[in-house]
Amino acid sequence: MEPKPCIICVAITGSLPRKSDNPAVPISVSEQVESTHEAFEAGASIVHAHVRNDDETPSSDPEKFAALKEGLERHCPGMIIQFSTGGRSGAGQTRGGMLPLAPDMASLSVGSNNFPTRVYENPPDLVDWLAAEMKTYGVRPEIEAFDLSHIHQAAKMYADGRLEKSPYVQFVMGVKNAMPVDRDVFDYYRATMARLLPDSEWCAAGIGAHQLTLNEWVVETGGHARC
Amino acid sequence: MEPKPCIICVAITGSLPRKSDNPAVPISVSEQVESTHEAFEAGASIVHAHVRNDDETPSSDPEKFAALKEGLERHCPGMIIQFSTGGRSGAGQTRGGMLPLAPDMASLSVGSNNFPTRVYENPPDLVDWLAAEMKTYGVRPEIEAFDLSHIHQAAKMYADGRLEKSPYVQFVMGVKNAMPVDRDVFDYYRATMARLLPDSEWCAAGIGAHQLTLNEWVVETGGHARC
Ligand SMILES: [Zn+2]
Ligand SMILES: [Zn+2]
Ligand SMILES: [Zn+2]
Ligand SMILES: [Zn+2]
């Protein structure tokens, strides 16, 4: 039997870290393209991208996303481009303003949960609008599963046609006040995927140093990794 | 071996149903006291109570809660009184304004999630404030677990002392856009309770007709029931 390949997704920028946290964080579009290019040559197949304003704050500007996409297509041909529609870069429909660029994938939160100091709000009507835009532009969603019900909700949306493409699911663990890094939950998430979304692949994201733990777990169990 | 007793909690009013939905819904304090008295005589041990304004809209008025508590203590001596601190009756700290009345128990949501048409917001600082008030007044929390991480969060808060009394946990299932009624999840919730909160008891609430399904499951598996 052939071993199953492990997809590596590189999250080059994230929504929050600044150069003062780590001078290697790529902020400008050209920095992001070159950082992704290095990861692509090292074996990454998916790039998960946020864009930033010149002052390093999170942005949802579709023009920045367009410039990034153009650079990535030139420097990393065949790489899968995934844009973030997460809530730190803006509120409401501005979060999905780049979807008409038709990236291969986009992140999608289908529920709400607590973050370290606030509520991560993904109201049902916004979730449905983002899903509809992804359908219109042929974008495959990566579901950010901050909790168990988010996997159930993704399966329901796939079953009732709100999601057209089988969703890729990311288990997010280690966010304070949301789901901790817990092997028992990780295994139950996997069993839930097999039960509710048998045609979907899944990966895992851990906050900070937890990513290494989660990468060990996904490699061991046939999931996909992030770095 | 003695059979384990099943605690019956009666949720007499809820936050939303009106007399136009069902003329039997008790709205005034005296109606609530008499409805609870009937349930008490029929075997209910806990009353889960919301209060209402005269126009039937949800209220958090501590004076109404005080009048209700006084009536319940007179008509139903020894019954366990649980007040709701849920989010439909008010925002922010008004949700806990009745805790100085020191009811035996109060409901506590420790995370956020989606509801049918909106986000059910329980920001971390409000959760911690409600928990601190419950500690001050010796109130045992009933955790409303709308999702798996809420059980983990309750266990963490009990372990680090933010909750003083071992929390009673209610599995809430069947709320649209939150956790569906799912036997596999129900069994995993039970296993999670045994692992993380072995000294706690648990019960289950299902929306509408789902309550009957959940009552069958809790009776079968050693949990507690709601009606
Ligand atoms: Zn991201
Ligand atoms: Zn290059
Ligand atoms: Zn209630
Ligand atoms: Zn009476």
Side-chain angles (χ1 to χ4, degrees):
Chain A
M1 200 174 91
E2 289 278 309
K4 181 180 174 186
C6 176
I7 301 168
I8 297 172
C9 171
V10 59
I12 44 166
T13 301
S15 57
L16 291 178
R18 309 255 182 139
K19 295 234 184 245
S20 57
D21 299 310
N22 183 338
V25 177
I27 300 293
S28 70
V29 167
S30 61
E31 285 172 343
Q32 291 185 306
V33 170
E34 277 321 300
S35 178
T36 307
H37 193 167
E38 283 172 38
F40 183 59
E41 290 189 338
S45 313
I46 303 178
V47 54
H48 170 82
H50 295 250
V51 294
R52 296 291 186 87
N53 297 308
D54 294 341
D55 68 355
E56 306 191 36
T57 55
S59 166
S60 298
D61 183 357
E63 287 188 26
K64 281 204 190 276
F65 275 112
L68 178 60
K69 186 163 179 271
E70 198 190 304
L72 292 173
E73 284 166 345
R74 198 150 19 99
H75 289 246
C76 313
M79 194 173 198
I80 296 164
I81 299 176
Q82 177 186 111
F83 288 158
S84 170
T85 68
R88 283 200 162 104
S89 58
Q93 297 191 355
T94 61
R95 287 168 50 178
M98 84 300 275
L99 294 172
L101 298 169
D104 302 296
M105 299 178 76
S107 64
L108 178 66
S109 289
V110 296
S112 298
N113 53 274
N114 277 0
F115 267 178
T117 60
R118 66 185 181 92
V119 180
Y120 182 38
E121 293 184 58
N122 297 289
D125 55 353
L126 178 63
V127 171
D128 285 346
W129 180 83
L130 287 167
E133 287 286 288
M134 292 186 195
K135 215 168 139 171
T136 299
Y137 297 106
V139 179
R140 185 182 299 272
E142 175 180 282
I143 305 298
E144 305 304 317
F146 287 92
D147 213 331
L148 175 61
S149 79
H150 302 180
I151 301 175
H152 285 259
Q153 184 73 4
K156 190 177 176 208
M157 292 174 73
Y158 182 48
D160 69 21
R162 277 178 285 172
L163 301 180
E164 193 168 54
K165 305 203 173 194
S166 64
Y168 194 68
V169 175
Q170 174 151 271
F171 310 155
V172 188
M173 299 187 130
V175 177
K176 190 183 168 196
N177 297 324
M179 186 60 76
V181 178
D182 182 291
R183 180 61 192 248
D184 201 78
V185 172
F186 177 85
D187 290 336
Y188 187 67
Y189 276 178
R190 292 195 299 118
T192 301
M193 289 298 298
R195 177 165 69 102
L196 301 181
L197 286 165
D199 301 330
S200 283
E201 296 290 321
W202 51 268
C203 56
I207 300 312
H210 294 304
Q211 187 62 57
L212 297 175
T213 305
L214 287 173
N215 284 352
E216 283 171 16
W217 294 354
V218 297
V219 167
E220 177 197 332
T221 57
H224 303 292
R226 182 182 251 224
C227 60
Chain B
M1 201 175 90
E2 290 277 310
K4 180 180 175 185
C6 176
I7 301 168
I8 296 172
C9 172
V10 59
I12 44 168
T13 301
S15 56
L16 291 178
R18 310 255 182 140
K19 295 232 185 248
S20 57
D21 300 309
N22 183 339
V25 177
I27 299 293
S28 70
V29 167
S30 61
E31 284 172 344
Q32 291 185 304
V33 170
E34 277 322 300
S35 177
T36 307
H37 193 167
E38 283 173 39
F40 183 59
E41 291 188 338
S45 313
I46 303 177
V47 55
H48 170 83
H50 296 249
V51 294
R52 297 289 187 88
N53 297 308
D54 294 341
D55 67 356
E56 305 192 37
T57 56
S59 166
S60 299
D61 182 359
E63 288 188 24
K64 281 206 189 274
F65 275 112
L68 178 60
K69 185 163 180 271
E70 198 190 304
L72 291 173
E73 284 165 346
R74 198 149 19 98
H75 288 245
C76 313
M79 194 173 198
I80 296 164
I81 299 176
Q82 178 187 111
F83 288 158
S84 170
T85 69
R88 283 200 162 105
S89 58
Q93 297 191 356
T94 61
R95 287 168 50 178
M98 83 300 276
L99 294 171
L101 298 169
D104 303 295
M105 299 178 76
S107 64
L108 178 65
S109 288
V110 295
S112 298
N113 53 273
N114 277 359
F115 267 178
T117 61
R118 66 185 182 91
V119 179
Y120 181 38
E121 293 184 59
N122 296 289
D125 55 352
L126 178 63
V127 171
D128 285 346
W129 180 83
L130 288 167
E133 288 286 287
M134 292 186 195
K135 214 168 141 172
T136 300
Y137 297 106
V139 179
R140 185 182 299 272
E142 175 181 282
I143 305 297
E144 305 303 318
F146 286 92
D147 214 331
L148 176 60
S149 79
H150 302 180
I151 301 175
H152 285 258
Q153 184 73 3
K156 189 178 177 209
M157 293 174 73
Y158 182 48
D160 69 21
R162 278 178 286 172
L163 300 180
E164 193 167 55
K165 304 204 173 193
S166 65
Y168 194 67
V169 175
Q170 173 151 271
F171 311 154
V172 187
M173 299 187 130
V175 177
K176 190 184 167 194
N177 296 324
M179 187 59 78
V181 178
D182 182 291
R183 180 61 192 250
D184 201 78
V185 172
F186 177 86
D187 290 337
Y188 187 66
Y189 277 177
R190 292 196 300 117
T192 301
M193 289 297 298
R195 177 165 70 102
L196 302 180
L197 287 165
D199 301 331
S200 283
E201 296 290 320
W202 50 269
C203 56
I207 301 311
H210 294 305
Q211 188 62 57
L212 297 175
T213 304
L214 287 172
N215 284 353
E216 284 173 16
W217 295 354
V218 296
V219 167
E220 177 197 331
T221 58
H224 304 292
R226 181 182 250 222
C227 59

